[in-house]
Amino acid sequence: MGDWADGYLENPPEDGLGLKAHEAFDWAPAPGTKGIFVFLSDSFVMPANAKRPDATSAWLTVAASKAGQEAFNPVKGSICARTDCDQSLFNEYLQSAGKDWSTDTVVGSLTHGVVANDAWKASIDTALGLFLADPTKVADFQAALVAACATDGACK
């Protein structure tokens, strides 16, 4: 699960479950992923033809500010996009995730469309589904991945 799960698990009731880290839950990298940080970024945007562009601009200014991120991220359960946030405001898990972000190899989330468009991801998912149905067909799986990339135009 994403960092948001920590916000839900640790925040007090009404917003979360009020659980204690290392007692009611813990965290670890998925097997085979140590040293890899998979990211997805929440995005706040200025819509075209916004009815209240000044209010939207004010929100975006706060959301991007150090104070805004230090207030929002610990409650949501996410790390700052900024590098100047006060890490003492974050719980142990988020401090750990922030350290991982700065030391691990950072890769975008395929599931959330960071590294492939929807058509390419659908082709990858189809290839993976066929492989999971018959894991002895490794060559077919590899060929399907190559074809998916070639069809999308990303692999040259």
Side-chain angles (χ1 to χ4, degrees), residues 11-67:
N11 284 330
E14 290 297 320
D15 294 324
L17 299 177
L19 301 176
K20 299 283 186 211
H22 307 298
E23 292 176 16
F25 72 97
D26 222 316
W27 56 90
T33 66
K34 185 162 178 57
I36 304 294
F37 189 102
V38 179
F39 86 93
L40 167 68
S41 180
D42 292 329
S43 301
F44 302 105
V45 300
M46 172 74 80
N49 302 316
K51 291 183 181 179
R52 300 193 54 208
D54 292 342
T56 305
S57 182
W59 158 246
L60 293 173
T61 298
V62 170
S65 73
K66 181 177 184 285

Side-chain angles (χ1 to χ4, degrees), residues 9-156:
L9 294 172
E10 289 203 60
N11 284 330
E14 290 297 320
D15 294 324
L17 299 177
L19 301 176
K20 299 283 186 211
H22 307 298
E23 292 176 16
F25 72 97
D26 222 316
W27 56 90
T33 66
K34 185 162 178 57
I36 304 294
F37 189 102
V38 179
F39 86 93
L40 167 68
S41 180
D42 292 329
S43 301
F44 302 105
V45 300
M46 172 74 80
N49 302 316
K51 291 183 181 179
R52 300 193 54 208
D54 292 342
T56 305
S57 182
W59 158 246
L60 293 173
T61 298
V62 170
S65 73
K66 181 177 184 285
Q69 290 196 17
E70 289 174 345
F72 173 78
N73 288 306
V75 175
K76 180 195 179 264
S78 57
I79 61 174
C80 281
R82 302 175 59 105
T83 59
D84 60 347
C85 288
D86 179 357
Q87 293 302 305
S88 70
L89 300 173
F90 293 78
N91 66 29
E92 180 186 359
Y93 168 75
L94 292 173
Q95 288 180 20
S96 170
K99 180 179 174 286
D100 291 344
W101 168 261
S102 66
T103 59
D104 288 359
T105 299
V106 177
V107 298
S109 170
L110 174 64
T111 300
H112 297 95
V114 174
V115 296
N117 64 37
D118 288 342
W120 189 10
K121 182 185 171 307
S123 296
I124 293 168
D125 287 345
T126 298
L128 182 58
L130 293 171
F131 174 71
L132 292 173
D134 187 352
T136 65
K137 296 186 176 182
V138 175
D140 291 347
F141 177 51
Q142 291 173 331
L145 292 176
V146 169
C149 190
T151 300
D152 178 67
C155 300
K156 299 189 189 298

